[in-house]
Amino acid sequence: MSLSWGAVSGATGYKVYRDGANPQTVSGTSATVTGLTADTAYQFQVSATNAAGESAKSAAVSARTAKNTNPGPGPSVPKHAVTGYWQNFDNGAAKQKLRDVQAAYDIIAVSFADSTTPGQIVFNLDPAVGYASVADFKADVAAKKAAGKSVIISVGGEKGNVTINSDASATAFANSAYALMQEYGFNGVDIDLEHGINSTYLTKALRQLSAKAGSSLVLTMAPQTIDMQSTGTEYFKTALAVKDILTVVNMQYYNSGSMLGCDGKVYSQGSVDFSPRSPASRSRAVSTRPRSVWASRPPPGARAAATSTRRS
């Protein structure tokens, strides 16, 4: 959104406030505010600055962003998609930038988003991963997309959680997730929540996000095996409720341990019978969009790109 104002005598710069916070500093009498959500009202204020300090803010001006009438083409996710997780943190593993992720990966999940208030998610690029600037990271996202890959923001992980347990928090999730998609160019979101899921409100949040993003949304899930023990679990109920907009379900076979199989017997993680006999096989009942598959795994020799989804 473009803003302009009259010059203030003696000012050497200006601060532009969005809804009373997040000031953007500019040297001239105009500014372009980015990262806004479509069809959303905002209030803007401007203050003048110089060596002596900052003036009082101007009276607030209200403006509403345009509706998203062109969600863009649907994601180019192949029928048999391979998903990898790019970690935005340093846990001792080899660091790499998005540009270094092997071309074998069709969906790259950036892990993870952060959350401090119910439903609201943000993304903070960790300096430890080696990017000189956020713009450099955004350029890598754009390059991967230009190469036909989908880059999505992952929510959750072992220690991450987002509380979505009300209509307000569901809306906050949809708005903030869509804002990140607009700001960074993400194609969608990955739900990697390992606790605290409320299927009613998570479903509402994902439906609202889908309404904003349209057919371009890439929606993936990474449930623990135990989360798919029965269709009565909150995770499984959510998957069933959004199966028409769900792109792919990636089971956490690596984070499971022994599990009770569909035949009532116990099978160990990593054994030849674990996958076909485990409750995870029930996730085939989640018939996702026609272009997608129900699970994926790294190709041989490509483990480096599918870095850990567990934040240590």
Side-chain angles (χ1 to χ4, degrees):
M1 181 171 291
S2 297
L3 305 172
S4 61
W5 54 91
V8 176
S9 178
T12 58
Y14 300 89
K15 288 187 176 181
V16 180
Y17 289 85
R18 182 182 72 192
D19 292 335
N22 305 312
Q24 175 182 336
T25 301
V26 296
S27 57
T29 57
S30 64
T32 300
V33 182
T34 60
L36 304 178
T37 302
D39 195 23
T40 302
Y42 294 92
Q43 288 196 329
F44 299 96
Q45 295 170 285
V46 177
S47 66
T49 61
N50 58 21
E54 180 181 0
S55 73
K57 299 184 185 71
S58 67
V61 174
S62 297
R64 191 175 192 89
T65 52
K67 292 184 178 181
N68 180 30
T69 57
N70 181 21
S76 55
V77 177
K79 183 177 180 180
H80 299 289
V82 179
T83 301
Y85 285 78
W86 179 83
Q87 61 187 47
N88 178 47
F89 54 90
D90 181 7
N91 67 350
K95 303 182 190 71
Q96 62 178 345
K97 296 180 180 178
L98 276 179
R99 69 192 70 158
D100 301 319
V101 175
Q102 294 98 320
Y105 287 89
D106 306 295
I107 303 174
I108 303 168
V110 172
S111 52
F112 294 99
D114 297 308
S115 179
T116 56
T117 58
Q120 186 85 18
I121 61 172
V122 297
F123 178 68
N124 299 302
L125 186 64
D126 191 336
V129 299
Y131 277 101
S133 66
V134 172
D136 194 22
F137 172 77
K138 291 179 180 179
D140 273 6
V141 173
K144 282 295 182 183
K145 291 172 62 179
K149 309 302 179 182
S150 295
V151 183
I152 60 179
I153 182 68
S154 184
V155 180
E158 179 187 14
K159 297 182 180 179
N161 193 46
V162 182
T163 301
I164 306 174
N165 58 6
S166 66
D167 286 327
S169 58
T171 298
F173 178 86
N175 288 344
S176 58
Y178 188 62
L180 292 181
M181 290 173 62
Q182 291 184 304
E183 181 175 358
Y184 290 93
F186 296 135
N187 295 95
V189 297
D190 168 63
I191 304 301
D192 191 8
L193 298 172
E194 297 188 3
H195 46 81
I197 289 180
N198 181 309
S199 60
T200 298
Y201 293 106
L202 180 55
T203 296
K204 288 185 176 182
L206 296 176
R207 287 290 179 190
Q208 289 182 44
L209 177 59
S210 177
K212 290 176 177 290
S215 63
S216 65
L217 179 70
V218 176
L219 173 60
T220 69
M221 292 184 169
Q224 301 174 108
T225 314
I226 196 169
D227 292 324
M228 307 303 270
Q229 282 274 328
S230 80
T231 56
T233 64
E234 291 299 295
Y235 212 125
F236 212 141
K237 286 194 292 186
T238 303
L240 289 171
V242 298
K243 63 182 182 180
D244 59 307
I245 58 172
L246 185 57
T247 307
V248 62
V249 177
N250 297 299
M251 290 299 306
Q252 292 186 24
Y253 293 121
Y254 52 85
N255 186 31
S256 177
S258 297
M259 282 286 161
L260 188 66
C262 296
D263 58 0
K265 298 179 181 179
V266 176
Y267 294 90
S268 298
Q269 174 181 310
S271 65
V272 67
D273 288 325
F274 182 78
S275 175
R277 294 184 181 275
S278 74
S281 62
R282 294 193 181 108
S283 63
R284 293 186 178 89
V286 184
S287 179
T288 58
R289 290 186 287 186
R291 61 173 167 268
S292 61
V293 293
W294 72 278
S296 61
R297 60 185 178 186
R303 292 182 180 273
T307 48
S308 172
T309 60
R310 308 278 71 76
R311 190 192 298 269
S312 58

